[in-house]
Amino acid sequence: MIGARVGSLQLRNPVMTASGTVGHSTELSRYVDLSRLGAVVVKSIAKFAWEGNPPPRLAPTRGGMLNSVGLQGMGAEAWVREEFPKLERQKVTTVASIWGFGVDDYVEAARMVATVPVAAIEINLSCPNVSGHPPASGATHQIFAHDESLVREIVRGVSTIDIPIWAKLSPNTDRLVAIAAAAAEEGASAVTLINTALGMAIDPQTGRPQLGNGGGGLSGPAIHPLAVRAVFDVHRALPGLPIVGVGGVVGVDDAVELMMVGASAVQVGTAHFAQPRISVRLVDGLERWARRNGVREWSEIIGVAHRGGRNASRG
Ligand SMILES: Cc1cc2nc3c(=O)[nH]c(=O)nc-3n(C[C@H](O)[C@H](O)[C@H](O)COP(=O)(O)O)c2cc1C
């Protein structure tokens, strides 16, 4: 298999699971050998245990789904003690995703997960800033990933830890390039693009939101073009910054497309709900695609859309 490189991190291949879509550790291993993946990105973990949002938490939409899981989790201490060992036993390359309600929460969560040999820490910045307090129901808070100075503070704090740091950013802003640049300046070795797009669905019978929390995050094929555009824009402005592309990947062509606009590797999320074996299918499918297209290194296609396409860059 052709390996992939995200900054300093060498991976077996460019296919990872997306945070929050395959559980906290090895839940998916009844379907796939997780050690075959580039990495498993686990569900975002906070320094504290968290209940998440009221049900219903998922609602199917045309071309994707809405979720408001609300970052339910057992907390970093329990994750380190009970979940990470399962991943280690199965020789899984693990990326720990972290979240919090304030800068200190992030730094503390990062310190806790860094006590075990994770390959990288992905900072989920699509959380509300409530300075240590949980959001009141229905309240609107500043999302970290939409605020350049908050992103700076968090990435600066977490980057004191000697593990590759990826900043996972939100597509719900027109400041994406500036925010990605800020994350890189503060020490992020890559950015993960994109988290879900803000969305909502109303039950036509009741006139009430379909999700228990009101709005939610849209994922799946419906957001793939948003991901392609986000990766394209950030790679064009910051060609030296490694990008992990995520959003609506359901097949080999989607993964290739994200690489062609600048992603060094990809993650697959929502597609797992219909096809739990999608990740290894992509690993095998990409290998076949590369062979058929005479590609020996992924670097041959990464960013090729910025260079006039494949034929142009060959010539
Ligand atoms: C049910 C669900 C839960 C998610 N939980 C998280 C999470 O805990 N942390 C995170 O960074 N992203 C989370 N995401 C976002 C995904 O990691 C991914 O960025 C997004 O869904 C787009 O990729 P996809 O279209 O392949 O699903 C979640 C997505 C879904 C559908």
Side-chain angles (χ1 to χ4, degrees):
M1 183 71 205
I2 311 176
R5 178 170 280 278
V6 179
S8 58
L9 183 64
Q10 183 67 39
L11 300 172
R12 263 177 210 108
N13 59 62
V15 180
M16 299 177 234
T17 60
S19 178
T21 61
V22 299
H24 292 283
S25 62
T26 53
E27 289 91 328
L28 199 64
S29 62
R30 37 195 282 248
Y31 299 103
V32 296
D33 173 1
L34 295 172
S35 71
R36 291 197 57 212
L37 303 182
V40 166
V41 186
V42 299
K43 178 148 188 71
S44 300
I45 311 152
K47 72 171 190 183
F48 42 79
W50 189 249
E51 267 186 11
N53 285 330
R57 293 171 164 188
L58 301 179
T61 64
R62 271 194 293 274
M65 71 183 211
L66 282 166
N67 92 83
S68 66
V69 174
L71 298 159
Q72 179 185 354
M74 75 287 289
E77 207 181 297
W79 183 81
V80 162
R81 195 179 55 242
E82 284 153 30
E83 301 297 324
F84 183 76
K86 298 180 197 166
L87 291 154
E88 201 170 34
R89 272 198 295 280
Q90 294 189 20
K91 299 187 170 34
V92 181
T93 302
T94 303
V95 175
S97 169
I98 56 163
W99 74 279
F101 287 125
V103 178
D104 295 346
D105 288 351
Y106 278 94
V107 176
E108 191 57 28
R111 287 211 184 102
M112 289 160 90
V113 299
T115 57
V116 288
V118 294
I121 292 175
E122 186 175 86
I123 314 177
N124 174 6
L125 290 155
S126 299
C127 310
N129 169 29
V130 292
S131 309
H133 301 289
S137 169
T140 306
H141 295 287
Q142 176 66 57
I143 302 286
F144 290 113
H146 300 167
D147 184 305
E148 194 181 314
S149 64
L150 287 170
V151 167
R152 275 188 192 283
E153 265 189 78
I154 293 169
V155 176
R156 191 183 309 139
V158 173
S159 294
T160 54
I161 293 163
D162 193 20
I163 292 179
I165 302 298
W166 302 350
K168 184 166 177 185
L169 300 180
S170 159
N172 305 299
T173 170
D174 62 355
R175 311 259 313 130
L176 183 62
V177 169
I179 289 164
E185 269 171 40
E186 298 298 340
S189 56
V191 287
T192 303
L193 305 173
I194 54 175
N195 214 313
T196 52
L198 290 172
M200 194 177 213
I202 301 295
D203 180 335
Q205 294 306 316
T206 64
R208 287 194 294 270
Q210 289 194 19
L211 294 175
N213 200 44
L218 182 64
S219 62
I223 67 164
H224 183 65
L226 301 183
V228 172
R229 175 68 187 266
V231 174
F232 183 93
D233 286 353
V234 171
H235 186 75
R236 184 173 54 184
L238 307 162
L241 176 62
I243 299 172
V244 177
V246 51
V249 173
V250 293
V252 169
D253 286 352
D254 306 317
V256 167
E257 201 181 351
L258 284 170
M259 287 198 268
M260 286 180 160
V261 288
S264 300
V266 299
Q267 296 176 355
V268 53
T270 298
H272 283 105
F273 289 81
Q275 304 180 62
R277 296 187 175 82
I278 179 86
S279 55
V280 287
R281 286 199 183 130
L282 283 174
V283 170
D284 294 338
L286 279 170
E287 185 75 13
R288 277 195 300 276
W289 186 93
R291 216 175 306 126
R292 250 198 334 266
N293 287 278
V295 168
R296 278 164 304 179
E297 301 287 340
W298 293 118
S299 57
E300 291 169 30
I301 63 157
I302 293 169
V304 82
H306 299 267
R307 304 191 291 271
R310 288 194 71 211
N311 293 336
S313 70
R314 270 181 188 167

